[in-house]
Every structure is written in structure tokens, then in C-alpha cells.
Amino acid sequence: MSRKPFIAGNWKLNLSVEEGVALVRALAPAAAAGKVEVAVCPTALCVYAVAQAAAGSAIGVGGQNAYWEEKGAFTGEISASHLKAAGAKYVVLGHSERRQLFGETNETVNKRLKAVLAQGLVPILCIGETLAERDGGKLETVLKQQITGGLAGLSAEQLGTLVVAYEPVWAIGTGRTATTAQAQEAHAFVRGVLRSIVGELADKIRIQYGGSVKPDNAKELLSQPDVDGALVGGASLKAADFIAIIAAA
Ligand code: PGA
């Protein structure tokens, strides 16, 4: 089963509108070959300007989160429909920073995912274990709960565009990366859980690896059969590094 590699940059709370626009312009030629799907996920405030700058290029733009209600009295929230109107195609959901710092649960991730799908946007569902969970032998339990909880109530037909990002929490922003064997093992497990939920579609779903992906480790990680791309944080903020990761894919 050939899956098109998908490299997405998660800019987190970094880059101003000007900086984001400059970066996406610098990245455009590297995505033009079209062999790799490429996206950048700026802050919500920058989505519109970055999407305008990326228009006509092969780079898609994503949000980093979306509230489950479309509109109303929800001060400070951003909806999937607003992200879409601003030019977004993807939305990152359930990132470990949301789970750890902002009280995100599998249940709230599930509500957000439904809202994102209802707008025809592509959800990037982030899952991953903490070091304590891995050391405590809970890796598979945690991943299974995050997948089944995040996808609850959704059918294979609804999940046709789903992307999953496996991001071990202990590897995010730490400079520590999962070994290629650890990544492949976790990805194969994730695909198995997906298969139990969506059947054959599991073979089409891209599973990105995330957690300190850099130009020097990208090729090896991406060479694994179940690693279909990367969700890149720190290294997505520098054009040269992100371009090298796209090239590795
Ligand atoms: P990192 O972040 O590449 O800086 O480790 C990855 C992520 O959080 O998506």
C-alpha cells in the first residue's frame, strides 16, 4: 500500500504574520515537486495571511486546534468553520501540549474532530505516551485509548481523510527521538488499532511521526514501512531544516 508522505510543520506559538509569510514563501519551491504532501500550521492569527501567501503553491495550511461549536458565546475560541474560511485545509487536534497544559481529553478531542470533519477539513489527530506511561508498560493501553476515544462515534466513511500523528511526549522538544525501531513498532500498533475501527481504510491512513524530527534523523525515521511522514515542531521554523526534511521524505 503506497501512501503519499505527508510532512507538516507545527509552528506552535511562534512566528509573526510577517515571519510566517516569509517562511511559507521560502518553502514553496521545495513542495512544488508534489511527491510529498506539505503543510504548515501557524498560529490561528496567521492562518489567513500564510494561506494567502501559500495560494497557488503546493503547501497547505492548517490550524493548531479548533473548538467544537461553530459560533456563539464562546469568548476566545476559534471554530473549524472560521479556520476554513481563513484558508485552512488541516487542523491539528489533541496535541500533547493541549493535553498536558490545557486540559484536553480524548472526549474533547473527539468533539473537535467531529467539528473539523463536518467542515470538510483534514484532522491530524495527535497521540502519544509520556515517559512514565512507556516505562510503566502502558504504551499500548494509552495509544489505544487515545485512538478509540478520539475517533468514537465516527465511521470509516467519515474518517476517509484522517491523518494520525504519533508523538511520544518524551521526544517532543527534548532533542530525544524515538529510535527507528520504537517508532515503527508504535506505528504498526497504531495501524492495527485503526484497522480494528475502520477496517481496510487503516492501510490508507497516513501516520506521521513527531518528536524532535530533524534533518539528520528524518531519512531513517521515514524509511520505516509504517512511518508515513512527520509532524515537525522546532525544525519547521527554519526554511533550510524543513526543506531538508521534505527532501528526506
Ligand atoms: P518538536 O515538536 O519537533 O519540536 O519535537 C513536534 C511537535 O510537537 O509536533
Side-chain angles (χ1 to χ4, degrees):
M1 170 59 60
S2 73
R3 293 175 290 266
K4 189 173 186 177
F6 180 23
I7 306 292
N10 174 10
W11 292 356
K12 308 191 181 185
L13 184 49
N14 294 296
L15 304 183
S16 64
V17 171
E18 259 183 9
E19 291 165 336
V21 164
L23 179 53
V24 85
R25 285 198 181 123
L27 296 174
K35 289 190 185 137
V36 178
E37 193 168 322
V38 179
V40 296
C41 304
T43 65
L45 209 55
C46 296
V47 164
Y48 181 75
V50 172
Q52 292 281 311
S57 82
I59 301 181
V61 176
Q64 298 176 11
N65 194 18
Y67 191 53
W68 51 85
E69 295 289 348
E70 208 179 313
K71 59 179 177 176
F74 305 104
T75 303
E77 291 300 325
I78 287 154
S79 67
S81 62
H82 285 181
L83 284 170
K84 183 180 175 178
K89 178 176 172 198
Y90 310 88
V91 185
V92 174
L93 293 169
H95 189 277
S96 69
E97 284 148 20
R98 301 292 328 162
R99 294 179 192 263
Q100 298 208 307
L101 306 174
F102 302 101
E104 198 76 64
T105 64
N106 293 330
E107 203 179 6
T108 55
V109 170
N110 180 245
K111 290 180 168 189
R112 295 179 200 280
L113 202 134
K114 286 174 177 160
V116 163
L117 287 173
Q119 291 300 325
L121 297 173
V122 176
I124 302 176
L125 170 64
C126 300
I127 57 172
E129 81 290 358
T130 62
L131 194 55
E133 287 164 345
R134 176 173 275 265
D135 289 346
K138 297 203 185 100
L139 169 66
E140 296 193 345
T141 310
V142 169
L143 295 183
K144 196 169 176 186
Q145 281 170 349
Q146 289 173 337
I147 299 165
T148 51
L151 302 182
L154 290 158
S155 64
E157 289 82 69
Q158 290 169 295
L159 291 170
T161 62
L162 176 72
V163 175
V164 174
Y166 168 64
E167 302 200 296
V169 178
W170 47 272
I172 294 178
T174 58
R176 258 184 91 176
T177 329
T179 63
T180 46
Q182 284 172 326
Q184 170 55 27
E185 196 182 354
H187 281 231
F189 176 77
V190 168
R191 198 174 308 283
V193 176
L194 288 170
R195 189 168 291 116
S196 72
I197 300 172
V198 298
E200 281 175 13
L201 176 66
D203 292 319
K204 297 205 179 111
I205 293 176
R206 271 89 53 89
I207 307 174
Q208 298 174 316
Y209 170 81
S212 299
V213 176
K214 308 283 179 211
D216 60 359
N217 61 22
K219 202 171 179 100
E220 215 188 319
L221 285 161
L222 290 161
S223 70
Q224 300 301 300
D226 285 293
V227 178
D228 310 313
L231 183 56
V232 185
S236 72
L237 299 173
K238 286 191 195 137
D241 285 359
F242 197 57
I243 288 169
I245 293 169
I246 295 168

